[in-house]
Amino acid sequence: MTGYIHSKESFGTVDGPGIRYVLFLQGCPLRCKYCHNPDTWAIGEGKPITVEEVLYEYNKNKAFYSKGGITVTGGEPLLQTDFVLELFKKAKEQKIHTCIDTSGITYNPENTEYINKLDELMKYTDLVMLDIKHIESEAHKDLTGKGNEGILAFAKYLEAKNIPLWVRHVAVPGITDDPKHLQRLGEFIGTLKNLKAVDVLPYHTMGVNKYKEMGLTYPLAGVEALSAKDAVEARKNILIGLKRTRK
């Protein structure tokens, strides 16, 4: 089984628990205005890599991954479900911790074939990190090009499957850091019994030069990076909503 990647990282520390081997899979249906890797968007491109190659490279540094494992991210890794399924099956044979970092945008409960594959994949998945961009669907559509109904439904699907869940949210000044919306996000994720962690990632401008190199207009030109202090405040607001739900 061959997958198509944008890049890979041998010693990832922010893509799940422990030190991890991270695959950035190529292709994404979203066009997030703050995306710092627009070169991951194109579907059907990327560097080919086989399941065997991934596990060979993982095992070369196996000693470093004793508390970590393998994470697939993107782009959007669930565009390549067949590859991820085969990789995770083989990984679990070696007792490797598996993690998917996804936007959940591919979730479609009306597509029986897709759901069957997803059901199978979840049997070999130890953790899902779900990026919820915005709790309001119209605002989500403006930010990413698509609404969030399927994403929120995917979160409930993961709850039903009892898959451990980490929720991530990128806080962008004036766009995704409104306390009211953050508390609404907290209220929603507070209903999820499988929720294990909440991370707020501060918006940064490191992608600006890449847009220039690719001849693209940066959508958030002029928006300043979010401070670490404001990221902490954003997380506090999410937790206010979460605790309100769990009273």
Side-chain angles (χ1 to χ4, degrees):
M1 179 65 67
T2 300
Y4 293 86
I5 65 171
H6 166 266
S7 54
K8 56 193 175 184
E9 185 175 354
S10 297
F11 298 98
T13 58
V14 295
D15 303 280
I19 298 174
R20 308 189 69 82
Y21 182 93
V22 185
L23 286 177
F24 296 85
L25 273 63
Q26 180 69 26
C28 186
L30 295 180
R31 294 295 180 267
C32 300
K33 290 180 178 179
Y34 56 71
C35 179
H36 59 279
N37 285 318
D39 45 348
T40 66
W41 290 345
I43 297 171
E45 298 183 6
K47 306 169 188 175
I49 192 168
T50 66
V51 167
E52 290 74 21
E53 287 174 315
V54 173
L55 293 175
Y56 173 76
E57 292 187 2
Y58 177 91
N59 283 309
K60 283 196 302 184
N61 298 302
K62 186 176 180 179
F64 293 97
Y65 304 131
S66 61
K67 296 182 180 179
I70 293 175
T71 295
V72 291
T73 182
E76 174 47 61
L78 292 181
L79 283 176
Q80 300 187 48
T81 305
D82 291 334
F83 172 72
V84 178
L85 173 57
E86 184 67 18
L87 173 61
F88 280 16
K89 274 185 178 179
K90 298 292 185 184
K92 295 314 296 178
E93 289 175 4
Q94 299 184 30
K95 295 181 171 41
I96 297 170
H97 184 276
T98 56
C99 174
I100 301 171
D101 180 7
T102 175
S103 70
I105 194 61
T106 62
Y107 183 71
N108 180 3
E110 296 180 3
N111 185 333
T112 302
E113 181 181 358
Y114 172 80
I115 292 298
N116 288 340
K117 287 181 181 179
L118 198 60
D119 287 346
E120 185 69 9
L121 175 57
M122 290 303 109
K123 295 176 184 177
Y124 306 98
T125 302
D126 293 311
L127 175 68
V128 171
M129 301 174 74
L130 179 61
D131 300 309
I132 301 182
K133 320 288 184 178
H134 204 295
I135 194 61
E136 301 284 349
S137 189
E138 283 302 312
H140 192 282
K141 188 173 183 178
D142 181 68
L143 180 64
T144 72
K146 295 184 182 294
N148 70 359
E149 292 85 357
I151 294 166
L152 302 186
F154 179 62
K156 299 302 287 186
Y157 166 86
L158 294 172
E159 180 190 28
K161 291 288 183 183
N162 198 29
I163 304 297
L165 176 67
W166 288 10
V167 167
R168 283 177 153 183
H169 177 75
V170 178
V172 185
I175 299 176
T176 66
D177 66 339
D178 182 275
K180 178 179 68 176
H181 294 147
L182 292 170
Q183 289 180 31
R184 277 206 60 210
L185 172 59
E187 288 171 0
F188 171 74
I189 65 176
T191 68
L192 304 172
K193 297 180 180 65
N194 57 331
L195 182 69
K196 302 300 180 185
V198 180
D199 292 328
V200 169
L201 309 178
Y203 165 74
H204 60 72
T205 59
M206 289 187 286
V208 173
N209 289 333
K210 188 172 286 189
Y211 278 76
K212 288 181 181 177
E213 291 169 4
M214 295 179 66
L216 299 173
T217 300
Y218 187 66
L220 298 184
V223 177
E224 295 186 0
L226 192 83
S227 70
K229 178 182 176 182
D230 286 340
V232 170
E233 192 64 27
R235 188 173 186 274
K236 285 181 181 178
N237 273 299
I238 293 175
L239 294 180
I240 287 171
L242 188 152
K243 291 172 183 176
R244 186 182 298 146
T245 296
R246 292 189 170 181
K247 276 185 178 180

